[in-house]
Amino acid sequence: IKLQMEGRKSTVNIFKKIKMSINRPLIPLKIFLFCFYGAGSFVTAFLTVHFKHHGMTLAELSTAYMISPIVQIGGTLLSGIIADKIGRSKPVLSANLAITVLTMIGIMLIPSPKYINCNVQTEYNSSSNNNVTNMKCDVGQLEENLCYKQCINESSKNYSVQTTIKKGSTSFELVRNETIEIQNLCRSKNFTICECNESNGTLCSTLCPSEPDTKCYDESQRSTLSKVTILLYILWMTAYSNSYRICDVTTMHLVTMHNADYGRQRLFCMVGNVIVSVLAGYLVKITTPIGGEKNYSTAFYLFISLISFCFLVVYKLDVQVKPPGRKMKKNAALLLKNPDILVFAFVVLILGTSWNFTNKFIFWYLEEMQAPSVLLGLIPAIGALYGLPFLFTSEWWMKTIGTTKFFIIGLLGYVLYCIGYSFLKDPWMSLLLESANIVTYHLLWVAVILKSHEMAPEGLTATVISAAGSIHFQLSKTSGSLIARFVMNNFGGPAAYRFVAGMCFVVAVFYSLYLYCRNCYTSQFQVLEQSNQENDEKIEC
């Protein structure tokens, strides 16, 4: 192995004609992408569980998920416009990173709501053999039928147990069925076991006191803390999504400056996803006490550390200052009247809808098929690994096939991917289907960024790239969720996957016809323009 220094590039001779060129000014960018995308690989999932443990209800969390995409789209477009207006993306990226860190610290500092002491009274109803526990809390009386208890002469037997929880007249009701094995013992819902003295044959007459496992919160305090948490979470999501989009803008600026390959920079994003997500899971595991609740704070400390380090790395990025954007309103109006831009946005929306549906609801679908948890953990890592060699050679793929044609390939990739999942019988075969991510995500997103950069008029590069990211990752969350709500919920997972496959196939045909008609019109227009120029030259002679 030999190292040669040539200007800003370092060439490593690995074996005979095999060489690897390293662009030294882009090393800070690679470090930034590794840490930034690695931090994002785990934090959202851990935050959801963190909120649940801090008393936030599903309705409150769903409200945050519904509001945040709207705020994110506005924030992303605003960040792109500011970057174009001042001609610099680095200050906008630094500001969003700082807000991301501060809001995450704020979320961690929010205390858990206080518990209210509940006076437990246990009664035994000999006529129905039901053990009824009444918990008198300050928030109202909560009645819970713990379980149906019956002692039998045999050594063991399985019984079906139904638990019904009611709180007030307008609260909630939870019905849970479980099967327990009784070995001459009475066992309550929270697994408190007491011996059973048999009398009158097979019936129990013992009293089994038990502590309820339902937590009673101070509702006024819990509600206030949840509202503050939702506000900080929406602000955090907005700043973090802004960072992703401006990161694409900054990366594209540096790639253009140094005549580098955008796909090879994305390769470090995927490597960070795989490595850091495993590290975060390991930290949570080793810091969780035996038998206690999982300690997610270590993962959040890791996130804060990585984003803070990214903030310092951004300072070292040598991003060229561009002239501030001029006539931005006029250029934006012309952009919205361009049919190529409108069709491009529509295709990106369909691709984003497919991505959000398949990415968010695949685990729900596989769990219904009794897929093992090990497989669910492997799918994201395998999907990232599939893309690594293709991202490394993305420049060759873009030049050979063309960025525009990759949108059609991506749509057809979703057709095959979703048809495969709709007929899936063995969950482990999903590891093969995940290879479609090569064209539906990895190479496709390279094509989206390159096409956005190509189509953007002068002074609107950051705005167009940010808008493309918002359409694909934020706006399409709504459309992807609607498919899950109305198709998957009513007709099942296979029908939903076939619906997405049909949608992508129709759009692929539409986009192919549009490109064909456009190319025919362009070629005829060029022939006509050329003939007019020749006639003008003859007249001048």
Side-chain angles (χ1 to χ4, degrees), residues 308-322:
S308 300
F309 179 68
C310 288
F311 182 84
L312 299 177
V313 174
V314 169
Y315 177 76
K316 298 294 294 182
L317 292 178
D318 185 16
V319 184
Q320 183 180 1
V321 179
K322 289 190 173 185

Side-chain angles (χ1 to χ4, degrees), residues 36 40 43-45 47-48 51 61 64-76 79 96 99-101 103-104 107 229-245 303 356 360 473-474 477:
F36 182 73
V43 65
T44 306
L47 270 177
T48 303
F51 292 152
L61 192 58
Y65 284 152
M66 286 189 294
I67 297 174
S68 61
I70 301 172
V71 182
Q72 288 173 43
I73 292 171
T76 301
S79 296
N96 280 294
I99 296 173
T100 300
V101 171
T103 49
M104 176 56 73
I107 290 173
T229 303
I230 290 174
L231 181 63
L232 285 176
Y233 176 71
I234 293 174
L235 185 59
W236 176 83
M237 280 294 295
T238 303
Y240 196 44
S241 62
N242 291 349
S243 302
Y244 270 105
R245 306 288 73 85
F303 175 84
N356 272 285
K360 303 298 181 186
F473 292 106
Q474 273 93 48
K477 281 182 181 178

Side-chain angles (χ1 to χ4, degrees), residues 152-189:
I152 54 176
N153 291 327
E154 293 86 0
S155 59
S156 65
K157 187 174 180 180
N158 292 333
Y159 281 86
S160 178
V161 181
Q162 186 180 62
T163 302
T164 304
I165 302 175
K166 294 181 180 179
K167 179 183 175 184
S169 58
T170 59
S171 257
F172 63 91
E173 179 174 345
L174 172 66
V175 178
R176 187 186 69 177
N177 289 318
E178 65 178 351
T179 300
I180 63 173
E181 183 175 323
I182 302 178
Q183 295 184 352
N184 205 24
L185 297 172
C186 293
R187 187 171 70 173
S188 64
K189 175 172 174 280

